[in-house]
Amino acid sequence: QVQLHESGPGLVRSSETLSLTCTVSGFSISRGYFWGWIRQPPGKGLEWLGIFSHTGSTYLSPSLKSRLTISVDTSRNQFSLKLSSVTAADTAVYYCARVPAVTHYFDYWGQGTLVTVSS
Amino acid sequence: SYVLTQPPSVSVAPGQTARITCGGNNFGSKSAHWYQQKPGQAPVLVVYDDSDRPSGIPERFSGSNSGNTATLTISRVDAGDEADYYCQVWDTSSDHPGVFGGGTKLTVL
């Protein structure tokens, strides 16, 4: 059974870098799927952040592209998100998910982790 | 970037059919995906590629996509279906290929 779990600090200072890791179990990251990140500010809708494949194909939200980095550690079956220069607007629940190729929907999700940006 | 428009809310009585729409330019030429999100929980995929259901999703959930509108249909609605529903598209012709609609709150009266 595919399971994803987000981990990282729940509180980040404004202007610093937000770092999260997604640990995948029950499925190998190297098996030909994409993997992605989504976030949801409190009380608001879902925002698509970006997806990548272990072969190097990456698609990022244009509005965050300059601040967003997604990387993968296949040896640990993990992938990570780094968002630099955060502000209060980056406060959200962050989800990681698996993404079947071709039409790129999100079929398995982590439970989400709340990251609060403090001033 | 591609824009998906959903009604903020839809209300339906138990046992009736709920239809949640998602509008986008020439949406019928792309694949629509739908997610259900209950309070405090992660979203769950309920329909993908316009009308396919993942394993474990009841047949009461169905989807269609034509012209500029995709529709999620939930038949025989019950209280357990009350949730936020989001549509999503993948559009490689856009500079923002992955997009979610704004979400629709389904209320079961």
Side-chain angles (χ1 to χ4, degrees), chain A residues 30-117:
Chain A
S30 304
R31 270 189 63 184
Y33 279 69
F34 281 70
W35 303 87
W37 291 96
I38 309 98
R39 71 180 180 181
Q40 185 172 35
K44 296 190 177 180
L46 301 172
E47 180 181 5
W48 188 97
L49 300 184
I51 66 171
F52 77 97
S53 74
H54 77 284
T55 59
S57 296
T58 302
Y59 300 87
L60 299 177
S61 168
S63 63
L64 295 174
K65 199 170 187 176
S66 63
R67 300 193 291 129
L68 182 60
T69 302
I70 297 177
S71 60
V72 61
D73 185 342
T74 53
S75 67
R76 295 188 175 190
N77 222 37
Q78 295 177 332
F79 60 100
S80 299
L81 170 152
K82 290 187 187 298
L83 185 64
S84 63
S85 304
V86 296
T87 69
D90 295 310
T91 293
V93 175
Y94 286 76
Y95 297 99
C96 60
R98 192 182 77 166
V99 185
V102 182
T103 51
H104 299 91
Y105 51 89
F106 300 98
D107 61 353
Y108 287 92
W109 295 62
Q111 86 284 357
T113 187
L114 174 63
V115 179
T116 301
V117 177

Side-chain angles (χ1 to χ4, degrees), chain B residues 15-26:
Chain B
Q16 300 302 303
T17 297
R19 293 179 179 84
I20 299 173
T21 60
C22 180
N25 184 39
N26 199 25

